[in-house]
PDB file of all heavy atoms in Angstrom:
ATOM      1  N   SER A  20     -14.808 -33.209   0.086  1.00  0.00           N
ATOM      2  CA  SER A  20     -15.369 -34.474  -0.406  1.00  0.00           C
ATOM      3  C   SER A  20     -16.259 -34.272  -1.622  1.00  0.00           C
ATOM      4  O   SER A  20     -16.587 -35.237  -2.318  1.00  0.00           O
ATOM      5  CB  SER A  20     -16.149 -35.178   0.709  1.00  0.00           C
ATOM      6  OG  SER A  20     -17.248 -34.397   1.130  1.00  0.00           O
ATOM      7  N   SER A  42     -13.309 -33.619   5.393  1.00  0.00           N
ATOM      8  CA  SER A  42     -14.716 -33.267   5.631  1.00  0.00           C
ATOM      9  C   SER A  42     -15.106 -34.000   6.907  1.00  0.00           C
ATOM     10  O   SER A  42     -14.247 -34.591   7.557  1.00  0.00           O
ATOM     11  CB  SER A  42     -15.614 -33.657   4.447  1.00  0.00           C
ATOM     12  OG  SER A  42     -15.995 -35.010   4.516  1.00  0.00           O
ATOM     13  N   ARG A  43     -16.394 -33.986   7.259  1.00  0.00           N
ATOM     14  CA  ARG A  43     -16.774 -34.689   8.491  1.00  0.00           C
ATOM     15  C   ARG A  43     -16.628 -36.194   8.348  1.00  0.00           C
ATOM     16  O   ARG A  43     -16.374 -36.888   9.315  1.00  0.00           O
ATOM     17  CB  ARG A  43     -18.238 -34.352   8.849  1.00  0.00           C
ATOM     18  CG  ARG A  43     -18.448 -32.949   9.334  1.00  0.00           C
ATOM     19  CD  ARG A  43     -19.902 -32.587   9.388  1.00  0.00           C
ATOM     20  NE  ARG A  43     -20.525 -32.637   8.066  1.00  0.00           N
ATOM     21  CZ  ARG A  43     -21.760 -32.259   7.790  1.00  0.00           C
ATOM     22  NH1 ARG A  43     -22.530 -31.806   8.761  1.00  0.00           N
ATOM     23  NH2 ARG A  43     -22.241 -32.332   6.564  1.00  0.00           N
ATOM     24  N   ASN A  95     -12.949 -24.033   3.481  1.00  0.00           N
ATOM     25  CA  ASN A  95     -14.025 -24.077   2.475  1.00  0.00           C
ATOM     26  C   ASN A  95     -15.335 -24.627   3.037  1.00  0.00           C
ATOM     27  O   ASN A  95     -16.410 -24.194   2.636  1.00  0.00           O
ATOM     28  CB  ASN A  95     -13.544 -24.926   1.287  1.00  0.00           C
ATOM     29  CG  ASN A  95     -14.682 -25.297   0.356  1.00  0.00           C
ATOM     30  OD1 ASN A  95     -15.187 -24.478  -0.399  1.00  0.00           O
ATOM     31  ND2 ASN A  95     -15.123 -26.555   0.437  1.00  0.00           N
ATOM     32  N   TYR A 161     -26.435 -16.995   7.702  1.00  0.00           N
ATOM     33  CA  TYR A 161     -25.343 -17.461   6.819  1.00  0.00           C
ATOM     34  C   TYR A 161     -24.616 -16.254   6.214  1.00  0.00           C
ATOM     35  O   TYR A 161     -23.390 -16.185   6.233  1.00  0.00           O
ATOM     36  CB  TYR A 161     -25.935 -18.351   5.725  1.00  0.00           C
ATOM     37  CG  TYR A 161     -25.000 -18.691   4.594  1.00  0.00           C
ATOM     38  CD1 TYR A 161     -24.035 -19.692   4.739  1.00  0.00           C
ATOM     39  CD2 TYR A 161     -25.077 -18.033   3.365  1.00  0.00           C
ATOM     40  CE1 TYR A 161     -23.175 -20.009   3.686  1.00  0.00           C
ATOM     41  CE2 TYR A 161     -24.230 -18.343   2.314  1.00  0.00           C
ATOM     42  CZ  TYR A 161     -23.283 -19.334   2.479  1.00  0.00           C
ATOM     43  OH  TYR A 161     -22.435 -19.647   1.445  1.00  0.00           O
ATOM     44  N   THR A 194     -23.049 -21.361  -7.507  1.00  0.00           N
ATOM     45  CA  THR A 194     -22.263 -22.452  -8.085  1.00  0.00           C
ATOM     46  C   THR A 194     -23.048 -23.751  -7.972  1.00  0.00           C
ATOM     47  O   THR A 194     -23.671 -24.018  -6.934  1.00  0.00           O
ATOM     48  CB  THR A 194     -20.913 -22.575  -7.331  1.00  0.00           C
ATOM     49  OG1 THR A 194     -20.285 -21.287  -7.307  1.00  0.00           O
ATOM     50  CG2 THR A 194     -19.981 -23.565  -7.997  1.00  0.00           C
ATOM     51  N   THR A 196     -23.674 -26.908  -6.947  1.00  0.00           N
ATOM     52  CA  THR A 196     -23.249 -27.946  -6.000  1.00  0.00           C
ATOM     53  C   THR A 196     -24.464 -28.396  -5.192  1.00  0.00           C
ATOM     54  O   THR A 196     -25.536 -27.790  -5.269  1.00  0.00           O
ATOM     55  CB  THR A 196     -22.210 -27.404  -5.000  1.00  0.00           C
ATOM     56  OG1 THR A 196     -22.867 -26.438  -4.155  1.00  0.00           O
ATOM     57  CG2 THR A 196     -21.012 -26.750  -5.673  1.00  0.00           C
TER      58      THR A 196
HETATM   59  N1  LIG B 301     -22.515 -23.370  -4.033  1.00  0.00           N
HETATM   60  C1  LIG B 301     -22.679 -22.056  -4.026  1.00  0.00           C
HETATM   61  O1  LIG B 301     -23.509 -21.481  -4.751  1.00  0.00           O
HETATM   62  C2  LIG B 301     -21.819 -21.209  -3.110  1.00  0.00           C
HETATM   63  C3  LIG B 301     -21.865 -19.818  -3.264  1.00  0.00           C
HETATM   64  C4  LIG B 301     -21.088 -19.009  -2.440  1.00  0.00           C
HETATM   65  C5  LIG B 301     -20.263 -19.591  -1.498  1.00  0.00           C
HETATM   66  N2  LIG B 301     -20.241 -20.948  -1.356  1.00  0.00           N
HETATM   67  C6  LIG B 301     -19.347 -21.496  -0.332  1.00  0.00           C
HETATM   68  O2  LIG B 301     -18.529 -22.478  -0.910  1.00  0.00           O
HETATM   69  C7  LIG B 301     -18.139 -23.418   0.098  1.00  0.00           C
HETATM   70  C8  LIG B 301     -18.356 -24.832  -0.400  1.00  0.00           C
HETATM   71  O3  LIG B 301     -19.709 -25.001  -0.724  1.00  0.00           O
HETATM   72  P1  LIG B 301     -20.230 -26.079  -1.785  1.00  0.00           P
HETATM   73  O4  LIG B 301     -21.288 -25.400  -2.553  1.00  0.00           O
HETATM   74  O5  LIG B 301     -19.088 -26.723  -2.500  1.00  0.00           O
HETATM   75  O6  LIG B 301     -20.932 -27.139  -0.802  1.00  0.00           O
HETATM   76  P2  LIG B 301     -21.157 -28.721  -0.883  1.00  0.00           P
HETATM   77  O7  LIG B 301     -21.065 -29.213  -2.282  1.00  0.00           O
HETATM   78  O8  LIG B 301     -22.408 -28.999  -0.114  1.00  0.00           O
HETATM   79  O9  LIG B 301     -19.907 -29.304  -0.067  1.00  0.00           O
HETATM   80  C9  LIG B 301     -19.744 -29.009   1.286  1.00  0.00           C
HETATM   81  C10 LIG B 301     -18.535 -29.746   1.811  1.00  0.00           C
HETATM   82  O10 LIG B 301     -18.323 -29.380   3.174  1.00  0.00           O
HETATM   83  C11 LIG B 301     -18.309 -30.558   3.998  1.00  0.00           C
HETATM   84  N3  LIG B 301     -18.833 -30.130   5.301  1.00  0.00           N
HETATM   85  C12 LIG B 301     -20.076 -29.690   5.601  1.00  0.00           C
HETATM   86  N4  LIG B 301     -20.144 -29.343   6.896  1.00  0.00           N
HETATM   87  C13 LIG B 301     -18.917 -29.557   7.431  1.00  0.00           C
HETATM   88  C14 LIG B 301     -18.352 -29.377   8.720  1.00  0.00           C
HETATM   89  N5  LIG B 301     -19.076 -28.914   9.756  1.00  0.00           N
HETATM   90  N6  LIG B 301     -17.058 -29.710   8.912  1.00  0.00           N
HETATM   91  C15 LIG B 301     -16.303 -30.172   7.892  1.00  0.00           C
HETATM   92  N7  LIG B 301     -16.786 -30.387   6.643  1.00  0.00           N
HETATM   93  C16 LIG B 301     -18.077 -30.067   6.419  1.00  0.00           C
HETATM   94  C17 LIG B 301     -19.111 -31.582   3.215  1.00  0.00           C
HETATM   95  O11 LIG B 301     -18.752 -32.939   3.500  1.00  0.00           O
HETATM   96  P3  LIG B 301     -19.363 -33.810   4.741  1.00  0.00           P
HETATM   97  O12 LIG B 301     -20.841 -33.784   4.559  1.00  0.00           O
HETATM   98  O13 LIG B 301     -18.731 -35.149   4.561  1.00  0.00           O
HETATM   99  O14 LIG B 301     -18.876 -33.124   5.974  1.00  0.00           O
HETATM  100  C18 LIG B 301     -18.676 -31.248   1.793  1.00  0.00           C
HETATM  101  O15 LIG B 301     -17.399 -31.806   1.532  1.00  0.00           O
HETATM  102  C19 LIG B 301     -18.927 -23.034   1.357  1.00  0.00           C
HETATM  103  O16 LIG B 301     -18.105 -22.230   2.172  1.00  0.00           O
HETATM  104  C20 LIG B 301     -20.071 -22.193   0.808  1.00  0.00           C
HETATM  105  O17 LIG B 301     -20.552 -21.261   1.767  1.00  0.00           O
HETATM  106  C21 LIG B 301     -20.995 -21.763  -2.133  1.00  0.00           C
END
Side-chain angles (χ1 to χ4, degrees):
S20 63
S42 83
R43 289 168 298 186
N95 167 74
Y161 169 79
T194 308
T196 67

